[in-house]
């Protein structure tokens, strides 16, 4: 008897709770219908203006008026994948040293010149390309481009800067080699690509860095930093006509 009473009580409780829950659910009629979709936004992809200088340099310009800023990037179709066997890290060292001295400017003069006009200038290398990138206010573009063109065409790879970069890279590697993640990536690349260039580290190893000489850097730059193998990409607050004129003025004699 007690069991029957307990079951009936439980059933009554469930019915009451269910009814209460149903009463608690708000009626959809109390809420307005969802707002209509907004008007679709029109995405305007900027047009790319392309020209080619007589020396073979391909020039691409993308105009974005109103920002007041201009970004200039020179992209060379060569990188760490072209490093010779036993000298992995050569492309990376070339890129790092481009801004560390030219025939007419020291590393300090390059850095001071860029800093004084509030610009930024840097270079880097990947497996398939090497790039030099300048970002500057349009009003100061003519002050920055001579430095940009100089580091592209006339780097000298000073011995002191090379030794400093080699030591710094070795120090960085000694730290990164203690990280399990770094070791895993290096082993995975070797397992995936084997002896192919993509299985090597872009920055090299302690064994290969010691074999790279100043002459190696100069030879690679002279043979591969050529206008016909490069693309100049300019974007920002600058017209297509201004891009072509600027490229011819500062890189036309390259």
């Amino acid at each position: 008897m007690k069991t029957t009473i307990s079951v009936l009580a439980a059933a009554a409780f469930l019915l009451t709770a269910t009814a209460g829950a149903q009463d608690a659910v708000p009626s959809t009629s109390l809420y307005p219908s969802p707002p209509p979709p907004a008007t679709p936004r029109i995405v305007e992809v900027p047009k790319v203006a392309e020209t080619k200088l007589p020396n073979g340099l391909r020039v691409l310009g993308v105009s974005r008026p109103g920002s007041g800023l201009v970004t200039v990037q020179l992209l060379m179709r060569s990188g760490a994948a072209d490093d010779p066997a036993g000298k992995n890290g050569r492309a990376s060292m070339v890129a790092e040293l481009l801004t560390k001295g030219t025939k007419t400017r020291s590393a300090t003069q390059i850095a001071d010149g860029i800093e004084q006009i509030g610009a930024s200038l840097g270079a880097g290398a990947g497996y398939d390309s090497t790039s030099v990138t300048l970002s500057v206010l349009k009003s100061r573009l003519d002050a920055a481009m001579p430095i940009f063109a100089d580091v592209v065409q006339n780097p000298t790879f000073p011995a002191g800067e090379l030794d400093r970069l080699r030591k710094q890279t070795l120090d960085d590697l000694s730290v990164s080699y203690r990280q399990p993640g770094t070791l895993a990536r290096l082993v995975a690349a070797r397992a995936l690509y084997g002896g192919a260039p993509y299985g090597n580290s872009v920055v090299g190893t302690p064994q290969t860095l010691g074999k790279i000489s100043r002459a190696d850097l100069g030879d690679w730059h002279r043979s591969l930093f050529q206008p016909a193998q490069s693309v100049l990409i300019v974007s920002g607050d600058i017209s297509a006509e201004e891009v072509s004129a600027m490229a011819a003025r500062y890189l036309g004699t390259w």
Side-chain angles (χ1 to χ4, degrees), residues 2-217:
K2 292 182 179 180
T3 302
T4 302
I5 294 175
S6 299
V7 171
L8 292 174
F13 174 79
L14 289 174
L15 289 173
T16 302
T18 303
Q22 290 176 345
D23 293 339
V25 176
S27 172
T28 56
S29 64
L30 298 178
Y31 297 93
S33 60
T39 303
R41 297 183 62 181
I42 299 175
V43 179
E44 296 183 1
V45 179
K47 295 181 179 180
V48 179
E50 180 173 351
T51 59
K52 181 174 285 189
L53 300 185
N55 60 8
L57 178 64
R58 185 183 176 196
V59 181
L60 305 179
V62 181
S63 181
R64 301 288 288 182
S67 67
L69 298 172
V70 176
T71 297
V72 183
Q73 183 177 74
L74 188 70
L75 194 66
M76 277 67 65
R77 299 188 185 98
S78 184
D82 296 310
D83 287 344
K87 293 187 177 181
N88 309 118
R90 180 186 62 176
S92 178
M93 296 188 85
V94 167
E96 291 289 339
L97 291 173
L98 287 176
T99 60
K100 301 304 181 184
T102 69
K103 295 177 182 178
T104 57
R105 292 179 174 89
S106 66
T108 301
Q109 289 173 325
I110 293 171
D112 288 347
I114 291 296
E115 183 179 358
Q116 287 170 6
I117 58 176
S120 64
L121 176 65
Y127 282 106
D128 299 306
S129 65
T130 303
S131 62
V132 183
T133 305
L134 168 72
S135 293
V136 63
L137 290 171
K138 182 182 179 181
S139 60
R140 297 176 178 177
L141 183 60
D142 284 333
M145 279 305 296
I147 303 176
F148 178 89
D150 194 24
V151 301
V152 168
Q153 300 175 74
N154 305 305
T156 54
F157 309 107
E161 296 291 345
L162 172 58
D163 291 340
R164 186 178 297 107
L165 175 62
R166 195 193 323 268
K167 183 179 183 303
Q168 178 183 336
T169 306
L170 289 172
D171 289 343
D172 292 342
L173 288 176
S174 68
V175 174
S176 64
Y177 283 173
R178 298 172 190 164
Q179 306 299 320
T182 299
L183 296 177
R185 286 191 294 272
L186 293 173
V187 172
R190 179 62 68 186
L192 183 61
Y193 296 107
Y198 296 103
N200 298 322
S201 169
V202 171
V203 299
T205 67
Q207 292 72 31
T208 62
L209 290 175
K211 300 177 182 178
I212 299 173
S213 67
R214 183 169 175 246
D216 291 328
L217 306 182

